Each structure stands twice: as structure tokens, then as C-alpha cells.
Amino acid sequence: MAKENRSFAVIGLGAFGQTVAAELARFGNHVIGVDMDERRVNSMASVLTATVILDSTDEGALREAGIERYDVALVAIGEDIQASILTTMNLKLCGVNTIWVKASNRTHHRILMKLGADRVILPEQEMGRHIAQMLNNPVMLDYVSLGNGYSVVNMAVPERMAGQPLKALDFTGHDLTLLGVMRGTEFRPAHSRDYTLEKDDKIIVLGKRPELRSFGDQI
Ligand code: ATP
């Protein structure tokens, strides 16, 4: 296994597991896909480094597949909560270093944390919060939450600002930091302030949510 890339075992190849596994493989990682459904496994065989058909509630089957050799395991079994819990426990028993698990609800989440999962994800809730933030602030195209109310956001520059210098963006009265401008896929840091804004430019701004919202309303 190449050491510069990390190795991942994705257990459960539903829509969520398949997406994560395929993306990890696309980034150049070693990824094994695990599912007890042969058709799901076959459909991922050409995308992933390895695939195996097994029931992950069976600890022996996981050991046989050499699951402990993987740096990270992701349990992406949603509907069958019992199978998800047993799989997480088995991964712990096998000594897998880092275990991430997709949960279906808050109770499931609590149980998985108690079992020692390193990270428990509630995709619907997390995505729902993300979507609500963007609907709440229409110029916000996307954002990354940094914790403690801070976010870095990607904002659309209004068309009327095209042709104006970057410093025409007025942050007065807002406790915000302009990090830079995205033009297509190219990033220009904010310190190159002689920059002229163009239509479709996006600005990358750091700050707290209410400040970002009122700045969004202003521009
Ligand atoms: P999605 O990601 O599509 O929303 P989901 O949350 O509904 O999926 P499921 O469909 O319940 O999750 O499970 C995802 C995958 O996990 C399925 O392909 C299923 O075959 C597989 N799976 C469920 N239980 C086990 C198990 N014990 N061992 C191996 N794979 C399993």
C-alpha cells in the first residue's frame, strides 16, 4: 500500500458510501469497498482499488479481509441500525485506528459515540443546516464553518461592482476580513488590492454569521 496516500475501508455501498468511496479513490487513495450485496460491490469494482462481499456484523469476516490494515474505516450503513452498531464494535475489536460512522438519528449518534467512534456524521442534518445558511444569505454561494460562529464564505460580487477596484468593497462597520477573490478557479489574495473586480468574481470573506449576513444584505 503506497504510504504517501492513506488507505480507507468504506463499509456499506449505498448512495452515501459509494459517493465517499469514489471521491476518495479519485483523490488517489487506496480504497476498499465492502458490502454484503454482490450487485453493489460489482458496480464499484472498476472505481475502487479493491472490493469485497461480506457481512460486516461478522467480526471474523472483517479480520479475514484484513480490515485492521486500513488507516480509516467509514461505516455507511444507514437503515439497519443494529448492523451499523455491530460493525462499529467489530472495527473497534479488530483495532482499526480511525472509525467514522454515518448515523440515522440522535440516539444512533449517541450509541456510536459511546462505542468509541472517532466521528459520527448525520448527513441529512448537516446538509440541511448548510442549505439553510445559504438560503438565509442569498449572496452566500458556499461556506465552511470554523466553529464558535466563525465561517469563511464565498460570496457573489454584485454585477454593478464590475470594473471597480477591490478596495471599493466597503467593510466599514463590519468585523470581517476579506481573504481574497476567486476568478474562475484562480485565487487572488486580498493584499493585491490594486485588483479590479469583474463580473462573476467571488469574494472570500471570514467572519461571524450575523456580520456576514448584514454585509451580504448591504452589497
Ligand atoms: P444511502 O447511503 O443510499 O442513503 P442508507 O443509509 O439507506 O443508504 P442502507 O441502504 O441501509 O443505508 O445501507 C447501505 C449499504 O449497506 C447497502 O448497500 C447494504 O447492502 C449495506 N449493508 C447493510 N448491512 C450490511 C452488513 N451487515 N454488511 C455489509 N453491508 C451491509
Side-chain angles (χ1 to χ4, degrees), residues 12-16 35-36 40 54-57 76-79 102:
L13 298 173
F16 181 77
D35 204 294
M36 62 183 183
R40 294 254 163 118
L54 60 79
D55 180 348
S56 56
T57 62
I77 301 171
E79 242 166 67
K102 171 190 161 173

Side-chain angles (χ1 to χ4, degrees), residues 101-217:
V101 192
K102 171 190 161 173
S104 299
N105 57 52
R106 294 259 156 225
T107 309
H108 188 192
H109 186 289
R110 286 185 66 196
I111 294 168
L112 294 168
M113 289 307 288
K114 272 276 175 216
L115 276 177
D118 296 282
R119 172 107 184 238
V120 181
I121 311 137
L122 282 161
E124 275 90 3
Q125 286 83 340
E126 288 175 25
M127 198 57 195
R129 265 198 298 275
H130 201 85
I131 297 290
Q133 284 289 341
M134 291 187 281
L135 288 171
N136 184 47
N137 191 349
V139 292
M140 189 194 278
L141 301 172
D142 209 350
Y143 76 99
V144 179
S145 182
L146 303 178
N148 203 23
Y150 283 96
S151 297
V152 173
V153 309
N154 184 3
M155 282 186 184
V157 174
E159 255 184 73
R160 62 181 162 74
M161 302 240 22
Q164 296 201 38
L166 187 56
K167 54 179 177 285
L169 282 168
D170 186 11
F171 287 94
T172 316
H174 298 284
D175 188 12
L176 296 173
T177 307
L178 175 67
L179 300 179
V181 178
M182 286 302 295
R183 178 167 297 167
T185 53
E186 188 199 329
F187 178 74
R188 292 277 189 105
H191 51 76
S192 50
R193 282 216 145 219
D194 52 347
Y195 193 59
T196 304
L197 289 166
E198 284 185 10
K199 184 174 166 291
D200 297 330
D201 276 354
K202 282 139 198 125
I203 51 170
I204 312 296
V205 184
L206 166 75
K208 287 207 165 189
R209 237 166 266 142
E211 294 282 343
L212 288 161
R213 168 75 204 260
S214 68
F215 178 70
D217 289 345

Side-chain angles (χ1 to χ4, degrees), residues 36-143:
M36 62 183 183
D37 180 336
E38 188 182 349
R39 283 166 311 164
R40 294 254 163 118
V41 169
N42 288 344
S43 74
M44 292 301 284
S46 61
V47 181
L48 307 180
T49 326
T51 46
V52 59
I53 305 164
L54 60 79
D55 180 348
S56 56
T57 62
D58 177 353
E59 187 192 336
L62 285 174
R63 284 191 191 277
E64 216 169 285
I67 207 78
E68 75 287 349
R69 294 201 310 266
Y70 289 84
D71 298 320
V72 183
L74 169 71
V75 183
I77 301 171
E79 242 166 67
D80 187 346
I81 292 179
Q82 186 171 315
S84 157
I85 291 167
L86 280 173
T87 301
T88 306
M89 199 182 73
N90 286 341
L91 293 170
K92 273 274 165 203
L93 291 171
C94 291
V96 173
N97 221 10
T98 305
I99 305 169
W100 286 34
V101 192
K102 171 190 161 173
S104 299
N105 57 52
R106 294 259 156 225
T107 309
H108 188 192
H109 186 289
R110 286 185 66 196
I111 294 168
L112 294 168
M113 289 307 288
K114 272 276 175 216
L115 276 177
D118 296 282
R119 172 107 184 238
V120 181
I121 311 137
L122 282 161
E124 275 90 3
Q125 286 83 340
E126 288 175 25
M127 198 57 195
R129 265 198 298 275
H130 201 85
I131 297 290
Q133 284 289 341
M134 291 187 281
L135 288 171
N136 184 47
N137 191 349
V139 292
M140 189 194 278
L141 301 172
D142 209 350
Y143 76 99

